[in-house]
Amino acid sequence: MLLRNALMAGSSLVAALGATTAYAQTAAAPAASSTQVEQIIVTATKRETNLQDTPIAISAFGQAALDRQQVRDVTDLARFVPSLAFNQQGDQGAILLTMRGIGNDAAYTEVADPEVAIYVDGIYSPRAQGAAVLMYDMDRVEVLRGPQGTLFGRNATVGALSLVTAKPTLDEFYGSAEVTGGSYNRIGTRGSVNMPISDTFGLRVAFITERHDGYADFQMPPSVPGIPPSTFITQGKKYYAQDQRSLRVSGLWKPNEKLTWNLNVEGYQDTGAPVIGLMQTPRAGQKRWSTLSDTAPDNNRWSYGVRSQIDYALNDKIELSYIAGAQRVGGSGNSDTDAGALPPTGANTPGGAFQENHTVWSRNDAYSHEVQLKSTGENVVDWILGGYFSHEDNSIRFDIDIRNGSRNGTFNWAGSFIQAKREIESKAVFGQAVWHVNDRVRVTGGLRYTKDTKQDIGGRNVTFNTCPPTATAEACGRGIFGQFRGVSAQELVALLPGYAISPNDVKGDWNKLTWLGRADADLTDDILVYASVGTGFKSGNIQDGGRLTGPETLTNYEAGSKFRLLDGRATLNLAAYYEDFKGYQVNQAVTVRDAAGNIISSSLQTDNADGAKAYGFEAELNANLTAADRVQVSFSAQHTEIKELLSVDARLFNSSATPVNVKGNALAHAPKFSGTVAYEHAFELGNGGRITPRIATHFESKSWLSYFNQGAPDRQGSYTRSDVSVRYDPPSDKWSAEAFVQNLEDKDIKAGAGSFGAPATPVWLSVYQPPRTWGVRLKASF
C-alpha cells in the first residue's frame, strides 16, 4: 500500500510539472543560460556520464552545493539524500550509515563490515572511522542507492558513498581561502591552491581545520560520603568537542594525450572528544546537554594515506586504468561508558556504577589494487573488465574497567581485548556490458565474483576470573586502566593476579557471484526510464572466542525515471525499490540452556537473522524557478521489517531473559516518511551584488532506533529541523560573507539508543545530533 500510494503521488507530481512545462513553453521564459540546472558528471558506472543520463538511483553534489547546504561530513549529508541515515558510536569514534533501512550499528570495529561502502577517489575505506574525514575541496560526492555489487563490489550491499576529491588542472593558477567562527567557540579554516607547474604537471594543495567546544557541560559533583568531589570531571575538554585537521597534496601528470596520472597524499588528525550517551530523561535540575562524568574524554585518532589512478589510452577505443591506494588509521581514546547514569550513594554501593572504556592503541593498515580495461568512445557495446585485490591488518588493545559506586569504589570486573593481528583479504574479478539496442534503448548485464578471507592470528582476551588465594584483594582489585601498554596478552595476564586468558584464533572463507541486469530507455530527449534487478554480498564475520558469523546477501528490484523539465530549469528523479535481505548480521545476547531449560552460559555475539525486507519510493527535485529562485526537494517513503529472529536485546542484557521473536518489527533508522525542502532567493542589489537567504527544513516521521522496537526510549519521534543562512556576494564575486543557524528549532534528535545499569536498573541513554548552533563565514577566491 505504501509503495503504491507513493508511486501514485510521484506520477501526480510528474503530471503537474509536465503541465507547468507546457505552459512555460508558450509563455515568455527567462533566458535558459541563466536558469539551467547544473549538469553534474558522475562516475557511478566507472565511466563519466551525465547524472540525468545515468540509470541508477544516485544523488550527486558538487562543492558549491555542499557549501550551500552546510555539509562538512557525512552526518550533514544524510539530511539531503533520500533513505540515508546515520548513527554515531563513542569509544571508537565511528559513523555508522544506514541506507533504505539496511545497516548495522555494531559495524564499528574490525569484526564487522558496513553495508554501505565508502570510497575515496575509487579506493575503498574499510573502517567506519574513515567516514569522519571532513569533506573539503571536493569535485563531487556521489551517493549510490541499491547494491553496487558488480562494479564496486566489496560491502556495497545496499549502496555506496563515493567521495571524489578535486584534482589539479593545468590551465591557470587559482585558489580560495575561508574562515568560519561561531557558537561553542567554533573556529574553522580551509583553503586550496591550484598550481600548474608546467604544461604537463600540476599540483593542488588543500587543507581544513575545524574545532569547537563540547556541547555537553560537566555537572557539579554530588555530595556523597566517602567520595571526594575530585572523583568527577568538572573542567577541561568536554564531550562532543571537535578538533580536526587535514591536509591533502594532489598531483597531476599528463605527458601526452594518452597518459594521465592522478596521485594524492592526505593526512588527518582528530584530537576532539568522543560523543557520549546522554540521559533521555535528565535528572531533576539537570539539562539535556550535560553529563556527570568520572572519566575525562580523550581522543587522538589519525590517518594518512596515498591514492593513485593511472589511465592509459591503448587506442581510440580501449583504455587501461590502474587504481591503487594504501592507508593507515590508528589512535587511542578514553570514554565514560556509564555516562553518569547511576550516581553513587556511597563509596562502594553497587547502586551506583563506574565503567571506563579505553582504546589503549589501535591500528588498521589497508591497501588495494584494481585494474580496469574498458571501452571508450561511442560503441554498440560499452564494456568494462576488472580485477581487484585488497588486504587489511587490524590490531587493537581495548580495555574495560568497572567499579562499584565510583572510580575509587570496590572492584567489579575488568578485561583487556588484545587483537594482535586480524587479517581481511578480498579478491574479485568483474565485468559489465551495456548493449545499445538502438539510439534510445540500452540493456546492461554485469557479474562479479568475490572471495573474502578473514582470520584472527593470536588474538587474546584477558579478563578477570577470580582472585587466587595467594594474592591480596588489593592486588586483584586494582583493575587494568591501560596499564602495561606495550605488553603482550600473555605478559599482561602474568602481571594481573586473578585474570584468565582466552584465545580468539579463527579463520573464515566466503565467496559469492553477484550480478546485475538492467534495461533503460529514453522515452524522449528529456525522459529516461529504467528497471533493474541486482544482488549484493557481504562476507561473514570473525568473532571473539573463535566464532564465525555467516554472510549477508541482498536482491534489489528497482524501477526509476529521470526527467528534465521546464526547458532544463528543473530535474526530477524517481525510484521505487523492493529489497529482499538474507542472513542479516545482528548483535544480540545469546543464552545456552541444557535439556531441562537451565542456563549454562550467556554472551553477546553477532548472529544471522533469517533476513529482512524493505520497499519504498524516493524522489529528488531540483528547480531553478527563475534566475533568482532555487528549490530543492528530497523525499523518501519506506517500509521495513525483520524476518524470523529469536533474540534478547543486548542493551537490556539479562542472562535469565527469555528470547522473543522480533519478526515483523521495523528496522532501525528507517522512518516511514522523510525528506528535505530547501528554498533560496537571490536579491539583486543596486551595486550589482546579491543577498541570498536560504532555508532548508528536514522532516522525519517517527522511527525506531533498533529492531527490538522497545517503546518510547527506543524511538525517535517525528520532527522537523531547519537550517537557515544569508549570504552576500559582491559584484566582483571574489569574496562572500555568510551567516547561518543550524537546527534552528534546537530539537533533541536521537542518533541511537542504549542503556546502562541493565538489567536491574536500566537507564536509557542516547547519542544526540548537535543542538542549535550559529556561525559566520568569510570566503575569498583568487
Side-chain angles (χ1 to χ4, degrees):
M1 180 65 72
L2 173 63
L3 182 57
R4 185 181 69 185
N5 291 343
L7 287 169
M8 291 176 63
S11 301
S12 300
L13 180 58
V14 172
L17 284 170
T20 306
T21 304
Y23 176 80
Q25 290 172 340
T26 60
S33 60
S34 63
T35 58
Q36 294 290 303
V37 170
E38 178 187 7
Q39 300 296 305
I40 299 179
I41 301 300
V42 297
T43 53
T45 58
K46 298 285 186 172
R47 60 182 75 240
E48 293 187 349
T49 58
N50 189 293
L51 174 65
Q52 292 305 112
D53 299 327
T54 306
I56 298 175
I58 176 175
S59 303
F61 309 87
Q63 185 64 62
L66 296 174
D67 289 345
R68 281 197 306 270
Q69 294 162 170
Q70 310 293 334
V71 173
R72 289 296 181 268
D73 60 29
V74 69
T75 64
D76 295 321
L77 193 66
R79 296 194 300 277
F80 300 95
V81 176
S83 306
L84 180 65
F86 74 93
N87 189 9
Q88 289 182 275
Q89 195 277 339
D91 56 47
Q92 296 300 306
I95 296 175
L96 309 164
L97 299 180
T98 296
M99 189 175 289
R100 292 180 170 176
I102 306 296
N104 187 348
D105 283 352
Y108 54 82
T109 70
E110 76 287 348
V111 301
D113 294 317
E115 280 80 7
V116 181
I118 299 173
Y119 288 81
V120 183
D121 290 335
I123 307 297
Y124 175 66
S125 181
R127 294 299 103 214
Q129 290 86 340
V133 176
L134 300 166
M135 292 183 187
Y136 67 102
D137 199 35
M138 289 284 130
D139 181 76
R140 65 189 179 278
V141 173
E142 303 176 16
V143 185
L144 288 64
R145 300 187 294 279
Q148 308 301 315
T150 52
L151 293 183
F152 286 86
R154 187 174 171 202
N155 301 329
T157 316
V158 296
L161 172 61
S162 178
L163 311 180
V164 183
T165 64
K167 305 299 188 294
T169 61
L170 303 177
D171 49 0
E172 60 179 327
F173 177 92
Y174 59 89
S176 64
E178 177 183 305
V179 61
T180 303
S183 55
Y184 297 94
N185 291 318
R186 177 182 176 182
I187 183 70
T189 64
R190 65 174 176 170
S192 64
V193 179
N194 185 82
M195 299 174 287
I197 307 301
S198 69
D199 292 340
T200 61
F201 180 66
L203 285 175
R204 187 181 187 99
V205 179
F207 70 90
I208 187 170
T209 67
E210 278 287 353
R211 73 154 310 279
H212 62 70
D213 292 344
Y215 303 133
D217 291 332
F218 293 122
Q219 297 174 13
M220 294 303 295
S223 178
V224 180
I227 299 182
S230 59
T231 301
F232 297 91
I233 310 301
T234 58
Q235 58 185 354
K237 182 166 56 178
K238 302 175 182 178
Y239 285 96
Y240 288 85
Q242 182 182 25
D243 193 356
Q244 297 169 306
R245 60 204 63 87
S246 183
L247 173 69
R248 184 191 309 131
V249 180
S250 306
L252 166 65
W253 183 45
K254 191 173 179 61
N256 52 55
E257 290 302 312
K258 289 190 173 184
L259 177 64
T260 301
W261 185 10
N262 278 290
L263 176 72
N264 69 54
V265 179
E266 185 174 67
Y268 167 82
Q269 187 180 32
D270 180 359
T271 54
V275 299
I276 190 175
L278 303 176
M279 295 180 65
Q280 291 191 11
T281 304
R283 285 184 292 271
Q286 303 297 343
K287 57 183 181 179
R288 162 84 64 223
W289 285 96
S290 67
T291 177
L292 181 63
S293 290
D294 43 23
T295 298
D298 182 57
N299 188 56
N300 184 13
R301 301 193 181 276
W302 44 265
S303 70
Y304 52 87
V306 58
R307 298 181 285 264
S308 169
Q309 178 166 339
I310 301 174
D311 300 313
Y312 184 75
L314 298 177
N315 54 45
D316 292 341
K317 292 293 185 179
I318 301 177
E319 181 179 80
L320 177 67
S321 297
Y322 171 53
I323 304 166
Q327 184 180 41
R328 172 169 289 181
V329 179
S332 60
N334 238 23
S335 182
D336 188 344
T337 312
D338 64 85
L342 296 172
T345 57
N348 299 310
T349 55
F354 165 88
Q355 181 173 335
E356 174 182 294
N357 285 8
H358 185 186
T359 301
V360 182
W361 48 260
S362 67
R363 196 173 84 179
N364 163 258
D365 291 324
Y367 62 87
S368 64
H369 304 273
E370 182 170 337
V371 177
Q372 299 174 5
L373 189 67
K374 62 186 177 185
S375 63
T376 57
E378 296 184 1
N379 306 280
V380 175
V381 177
D382 294 327
W383 54 269
I384 181 172
L385 299 171
Y388 175 82
F389 174 83
S390 68
H391 181 91
E392 293 178 53
D393 284 325
N394 294 276
S395 58
I396 188 172
R397 174 176 162 181
F398 182 69
D399 292 358
I400 298 176
D401 280 277
I402 302 177
R403 294 271 173 164
N404 295 317
S406 69
R407 173 180 288 271
N408 298 321
T410 53
F411 179 80
N412 185 300
W413 186 87
S416 183
F417 304 87
I418 303 177
Q419 312 306 332
K421 189 175 186 180
R422 276 188 168 165
E423 289 186 342
I424 301 175
E425 197 166 271
S426 182
K427 303 173 185 177
V429 292
F430 60 90
Q432 187 162 300
V434 181
W435 174 35
H436 296 257
V437 179
N438 54 47
D439 289 343
R440 291 194 176 273
V441 178
R442 295 158 294 276
V443 177
T444 300
L447 294 171
R448 186 184 188 104
Y449 175 78
T450 301
K451 181 178 181 180
D452 286 357
T453 301
K454 298 181 179 182
Q455 61 179 327
D456 185 302
I457 304 172
R460 298 293 183 265
N461 298 341
V462 177
T463 56
F464 184 77
N465 184 22
T466 184
C467 191
T470 56
T472 64
E474 181 181 1
C476 288
R478 62 183 177 180
I480 296 178
F481 291 103
Q483 294 183 97
F484 316 115
R485 175 185 173 91
V487 303
S488 67
Q490 290 77 10
E491 292 169 330
L492 183 62
V493 77
L495 292 166
L496 297 172
Y499 286 73
I501 191 168
S502 58
N504 294 322
D505 301 85
V506 66
K507 182 177 181 180
D509 292 284
W510 301 271
N511 61 80
K512 186 70 175 179
L513 181 69
T514 51
W515 51 269
L516 168 71
R518 181 174 62 224
D520 66 281
D522 300 315
L523 298 185
T524 71
D525 291 342
D526 295 323
I527 301 176
L528 169 73
V529 296
Y530 66 90
S532 65
V533 182
T535 61
F537 164 71
K538 192 181 84 169
S539 62
N541 290 340
I542 55 177
Q543 299 187 63
D544 289 354
R547 294 189 299 268
L548 292 175
T549 306
E552 297 175 340
T553 60
L554 179 139
T555 303
N556 180 74
Y557 306 87
E558 187 165 323
S561 54
K562 298 191 173 186
F563 300 84
R564 292 183 178 92
L565 305 167
L566 305 177
D567 293 330
R569 291 187 286 119
T571 60
L572 175 66
N573 298 337
L574 308 174
Y577 63 89
Y578 177 90
E579 295 185 331
D580 185 14
F581 194 39
K582 295 181 179 180
Y584 192 10
Q585 296 168 0
V586 295
N587 191 41
Q588 61 175 337
V590 175
T591 58
V592 178
R593 300 170 185 261
D594 60 21
N598 300 310
I599 295 173
I600 300 173
S601 63
S602 57
S603 62
L604 301 179
Q605 63 187 57
T606 301
D607 280 334
N608 295 97
D610 183 44
K613 66 178 181 180
Y615 55 87
F617 172 81
E618 300 161 341
E620 291 181 283
L621 170 70
N622 286 278
N624 294 340
L625 301 180
T626 70
D629 296 275
R630 184 197 306 264
V631 173
Q632 294 171 280
V633 180
S634 64
F635 173 79
S636 68
Q638 60 185 333
H639 174 86
T640 64
E641 61 181 79
I642 195 166
K643 297 180 182 178
E644 194 81 23
L645 176 64
L646 289 173
S647 185
V648 174
D649 191 345
R651 301 168 304 172
L652 300 172
F653 181 63
N654 185 340
S655 60
S656 63
T658 301
V660 297
N661 194 339
V662 297
K663 181 180 179 180
N665 283 6
L667 299 179
H669 316 298
K672 288 188 175 180
F673 302 101
S674 65
T676 299
V677 179
Y679 171 73
E680 66 180 59
H681 176 84
F683 293 93
E684 298 290 338
L685 304 179
N687 66 354
R690 297 182 306 279
I691 291 181
T692 307
R694 174 186 172 87
I695 181 170
T697 298
H698 179 74
F699 61 90
E700 288 190 12
S701 60
K702 65 182 180 181
S703 61
W704 295 105
L705 301 173
S706 82
Y707 60 83
F708 286 98
N709 299 184
Q710 291 274 14
D714 202 20
R715 182 175 61 228
Q716 169 58 53
S718 59
Y719 71 91
T720 59
R721 171 249 163 95
S722 301
D723 302 329
V724 296
S725 64
V726 178
R727 187 180 72 251
Y728 172 71
D729 296 284
S732 65
D733 278 336
K734 289 295 184 181
W735 62 274
S736 64
E738 183 180 29
F740 58 88
V741 179
Q742 294 186 278
N743 191 2
L744 180 66
E745 300 90 338
D746 199 22
K747 288 294 181 71
D748 294 326
I749 305 170
K750 303 173 188 174
S755 74
F756 188 81
T761 54
V763 176
W764 281 93
L765 307 168
S766 277
V767 170
Y768 286 85
Q769 295 185 30
R772 178 171 54 227
T773 59
W774 59 266
V776 293
R777 179 177 295 112
L778 296 175
K779 183 176 181 180
S781 57
F782 53 88

